[in-house]
Amino acid sequence: MTGTDAQNKIEDSNIKVAIFASGAGSNAEKIINYFSGYEKVKITLLVCNKPDAGVIKIAEAATIPVLLIEKEQFFRGDAYVEILKEFGINLIVLAGFLWKVPKQLIAAFPDKIINIHPALLPNYGGKGMYGHFVHEAVIANEEKESGITIHFVNENFDEGKHIFQASCPVLPTDTPETLAARIHQLEHAHFAPIIETVIKNLE
Ligand code: GRF
């Protein structure tokens, strides 16, 4: 596909994105702002499993509907596939969503679920490796470098095909907080443009 073909594709199609997030929502906010001027790409829904998450206020301020989900239906029901289809969602972006994505949801959105992880996978990924745990482990191992990985989601935590990585130094003086702040800057700079690239390549 040429650059022009890709551009045509994005202009011809109507891409509806659901962001799944359950934290402060700084990445969600960047993504919402990035696509706010786009006619054909709409952030259509915020899916969240924590009623008090900061990201809910961010969605509300942008007048994006919020779907609060429950464990039972997510893991043992239909994983909200029906509602997501009703909203016409064709891409799911995980931006600080910690629950494992059930098989059923992956099957309904094959290669259409993207996650961002605050480390250079395959290192520092997997169950329990999230948020400050990642940065603590990186610092404890005296790594010289960390970064971000944007990847497709499969049935195993943090194991789907990589789309993009970017790295940053780990300084001897770093605490988990200072490293987290540096990683957040990388996330904010790259996540939305990479989502745009994925959208351009959607079949
Ligand atoms: C990010 O660091 C992301 O890598 C991880 O969760 C964090 C979410 O941060 N998956 P925020 O809620 O977007 O500020």
Side-chain angles (χ1 to χ4, degrees):
M1 177 161 49
T2 67
T4 317
D5 289 342
Q7 195 53 42
N8 287 343
K9 212 166 198 177
I10 202 169
E11 277 165 12
D12 290 347
S13 56
N14 217 347
I15 302 295
K16 293 187 175 159
V17 180
I19 297 178
F20 283 43
S22 298
S26 67
N27 280 285
E29 189 169 31
K30 289 280 169 193
I31 296 164
I32 290 165
N33 291 342
Y34 185 91
F35 288 107
S36 65
Y38 283 56
E39 263 300 299
K40 298 288 179 182
V41 179
K42 290 283 168 233
I43 310 302
T44 304
L45 187 64
L46 174 80
V47 177
C48 180
N49 65 294
K50 281 197 186 152
D52 57 348
V55 70
I56 291 179
K57 289 214 161 55
I58 290 170
E60 285 172 352
T63 62
I64 294 168
V66 176
L67 174 65
L68 264 181
I69 59 171
E70 285 164 4
K71 255 191 178 149
E72 186 63 26
Q73 189 175 344
F74 194 60
F75 292 109
R76 284 170 289 279
D78 81 335
Y80 293 87
V81 167
E82 204 166 309
I83 297 185
L84 292 167
K85 295 283 181 193
E86 275 169 23
F87 272 94
I89 300 302
N90 31 34
L91 185 70
I92 294 175
V93 171
L94 310 185
F97 183 74
L98 299 183
W99 284 357
K100 194 168 181 189
V101 178
K103 270 186 191 163
Q104 221 171 332
L105 193 52
I106 293 167
F109 292 90
D111 284 337
K112 299 205 171 42
I113 309 179
I114 307 170
N115 182 42
I116 190 163
H117 186 78
L120 295 170
L121 293 173
N123 298 327
Y124 304 101
K127 194 166 166 50
M129 269 294 165
Y130 61 88
H132 65 98
F133 295 111
V134 174
H135 308 308
E136 280 164 13
V138 166
I139 289 171
N141 286 341
E142 299 181 4
E143 298 285 358
K144 300 279 174 283
E145 194 177 56
S146 189
I148 61 168
T149 306
I150 298 170
H151 63 95
F152 288 110
V153 171
N154 69 10
E155 285 165 25
N156 302 316
F157 267 125
D158 303 323
E159 286 184 13
K161 194 167 65 166
H162 291 185
I163 301 167
F164 175 84
Q165 290 190 305
S167 56
C168 63
V170 180
L171 306 177
T173 51
D174 265 332
T175 63
E177 290 73 28
T178 59
L179 181 55
R182 197 172 305 121
I183 299 269
H184 255 119
Q185 284 181 3
L186 277 185
E187 295 184 328
H188 296 165
H190 293 291
F191 203 10
I194 293 296
I195 292 167
E196 184 176 13
T197 305
V198 170
I199 288 172
K200 283 179 181 167
N201 290 318
L202 278 182
E203 288 178 2

